[in-house]
Amino acid sequence: EIQARVRALSTDVGVRVRMADVFGAKAKQALEGVLHTQPWSPVAGDAFYNSGEWSQLPPEKIAEWNLDPKSAQDLLVTTLTEEDQGVRKLEYERVRRMFYEFQRRDSEHVFSIEKVVFLRNSRLETRFLETFAEYSAEDRANDPAMDSYDDMQKNTIEHLHASLGRAVGCESANLVTAWHSHHEHHLYSNAIHGVYVPPPVTEDQVEAIKRGGGVDFGFFGRGFYLTQYPSYGQTYMRKPDDPVLLSWVLAGRAYPVRENCRDWPYEDHLHGRPRKEGYDTHYALVTAPYYQPTLPSEVVSGDELVVFERRQVLPRYLVYFSHGLAPTVGQPILLWIEPQPASSAEKRFLQKSITENSSVRLQTTLFSFSSS
């Protein structure tokens, strides 16, 4: 009954949040019912939240990473693995599917998931829901400037709209999933406080940008950066064993970046600049080795989505994984072995062939090997 009243009184999610503060526990429970039925909610909804072990960050980690103890109480986490069953397996498989769908764009890399940490922060999720309702009501993804874009910009926007992580039915808010890499403690800080959006550049930083020399204060705008290419996100990892953060993102009206901050004069590019007026985010396709906007004749190496407000991002999963190189075209690959090697010398040769090949997973009647 409370939930029906909350829904009937207003479609404004912000009003529901304020009502929850006034009406107490029952209204808050009704609000949670709304939170748990969104595209970014667990596949099994409340059943997932009622499963497994949930915990806060240990006090020693909070102290080591210099996190705010009070804010850290808002974050609950649970770890998912390949061995989980039931609703937890469903959630793990959801992340696994998203991870490997994105990986298909990374034709030069092979990854293997080790574990997934689900991040639950109702405070951030409520703020994200309010923003989602606002963007949806205003049809923020509708871009009146589309007809004025050149072919390069139209291709950039089409790439975003064809994104594997774009949520069906949420196009008016441009809801997508994307990755961010950094130190592990930095990612947990994002999950507790919201993502870090840097302050405007200083005069000294502006002068450094004008001088060039490889400084990076945000090539495509002064904001928080995400990507849909896991290996490209790895270029920002501080340590090999750091996880990547998978978040839900409200891209809204995205500006398709064409400005090259290596070749264009300072007055014309976006390096260190605030959000372009009339847009919610900046979106760029980039090409190696300089990772500047991709020209129509070039191959895309990655993409960068720049957000300028914390409320646009909901950190949801930390994905821990290992990685290696895929086989080069033309490189010999061992496909099978005879079940009964003729001699111990041949057996040792086959064993060596398997263990040195990073793309083989075989089992025989005599021995089995699995390379990573």
Side-chain angles (χ1 to χ4, degrees):
E1 180 184 356
I2 291 289
Q3 187 170 6
R5 287 172 56 197
V6 173
R7 288 181 182 275
L9 281 170
S10 178
T11 57
D12 179 355
V13 177
V15 172
R16 293 187 205 168
V17 174
R18 291 188 290 275
M19 288 172 65
D21 290 336
V22 173
F23 289 164
K26 288 188 177 180
K28 288 182 180 179
Q29 185 177 2
L31 176 61
E32 286 186 356
V34 178
L35 289 176
H36 297 175
T37 55
Q38 301 303 319
W40 53 86
S41 304
V43 175
D46 286 341
F48 173 76
Y49 287 131
N50 294 327
S51 71
E53 296 183 1
W54 292 81
S55 63
Q56 296 177 333
L57 284 181
E60 58 271 18
K61 282 295 183 183
I62 295 174
E64 177 187 347
W65 292 341
N66 197 28
L67 301 173
D68 175 39
K70 184 176 180 180
S71 298
Q73 294 177 5
D74 294 331
L75 178 66
L76 292 175
V77 300
T78 190
T79 300
L80 307 173
T81 67
E82 180 73 32
E83 288 72 33
D84 276 312
Q85 300 295 324
V87 296
R88 296 175 65 79
K89 181 71 169 183
L90 284 176
E91 197 65 21
Y92 175 83
E93 288 297 331
R94 180 193 202 185
V95 181
R96 183 178 182 275
R97 183 179 67 253
M98 288 193 288
F99 186 84
Y100 287 118
E101 282 178 347
F102 281 121
Q103 183 187 312
R104 290 175 189 169
R105 291 184 172 181
D106 284 323
S107 58
E108 297 181 357
H109 294 79
V110 176
F111 303 98
S112 177
I113 294 179
E114 297 176 351
K115 66 178 180 179
V116 174
V117 175
F118 186 99
L119 307 167
R120 181 183 182 185
N121 187 326
S122 296
R123 175 173 49 83
L124 297 188
E125 192 164 349
T126 300
R127 183 173 66 186
F128 189 76
L129 178 60
E130 290 184 84
T131 309
F132 173 72
E134 176 190 325
Y135 279 26
S136 298
E138 297 176 2
D139 193 17
R140 289 284 266 273
N142 181 29
D143 190 351
M146 181 65 76
D147 292 339
S148 66
Y149 293 147
D150 60 22
D151 289 343
M152 178 179 172
Q153 289 177 300
K154 288 179 180 178
N155 179 64
T156 300
I157 287 297
E158 288 170 1
H159 195 281
L160 178 61
H161 288 176
S163 162
L164 292 168
R166 197 170 189 230
V168 176
C170 303
E171 290 83 1
S172 58
N174 226 351
L175 177 66
V176 301
T177 50
W179 307 88
H180 176 79
S181 297
H182 211 289
H183 285 303
E184 184 180 33
H185 71 268
H186 177 92
L187 301 181
Y188 270 106
S189 178
N190 289 335
I192 292 171
H193 304 290
V195 299
Y196 175 72
V197 177
V201 292
T202 64
E203 292 183 4
D204 289 342
Q205 289 171 331
V206 169
E207 291 304 314
I209 294 172
K210 291 179 178 179
R211 289 193 301 270
V215 297
D216 183 358
F217 297 110
F219 284 168
F220 309 123
R222 186 71 166 162
F224 179 80
Y225 280 66
L226 304 104
T227 182
Q228 297 195 353
Y229 290 69
S231 72
Y232 182 60
Q234 274 195 298
T235 62
Y236 296 94
M237 291 177 70
R238 285 4 187 218
K239 295 189 299 183
D241 56 347
D242 280 334
V244 289
L245 175 67
L246 178 57
S247 300
W248 290 92
V249 185
L250 293 168
R253 186 168 300 148
Y255 173 72
V257 177
R258 63 189 298 272
E259 294 85 347
N260 186 314
C261 65
R262 283 180 57 88
D263 301 333
W264 291 29
Y266 171 76
E267 292 74 19
D268 296 333
H269 60 64
L270 299 175
H271 192 172
R273 303 277 187 174
R275 173 178 47 198
K276 283 187 73 73
E277 186 176 355
Y279 294 89
D280 301 301
T281 54
H282 297 169
Y283 182 68
L285 301 178
V286 296
T287 297
Y290 300 115
Y291 299 104
Q292 292 299 307
T294 301
L295 298 174
S297 60
E298 295 177 328
V299 176
V300 175
S301 301
D303 67 356
E304 302 207 19
L305 178 62
V306 191
V307 303
F308 298 88
E309 296 183 64
R310 286 183 168 185
R311 66 188 185 126
Q312 293 176 276
V313 182
L314 178 64
R316 183 52 102 193
Y317 309 98
L318 287 176
V319 181
Y320 294 78
F321 62 96
S322 56
H323 62 94
L325 291 177
T328 305
V329 174
Q331 175 183 335
I333 301 175
L334 181 64
L335 296 180
W336 71 86
I337 64 174
E338 292 298 327
Q340 295 183 354
S343 67
S344 58
E346 185 177 355
K347 179 177 176 179
R348 287 194 298 272
F349 169 77
L350 291 172
Q351 180 176 352
K352 183 174 184 294
S353 299
I354 294 172
T355 55
E356 289 182 354
N357 193 309
S358 63
S359 303
V360 174
R361 182 178 294 273
L362 300 177
Q363 182 169 347
T364 75
T365 56
L366 295 182
F367 50 83
S368 63
F369 307 100
S370 177
S371 62
S372 57

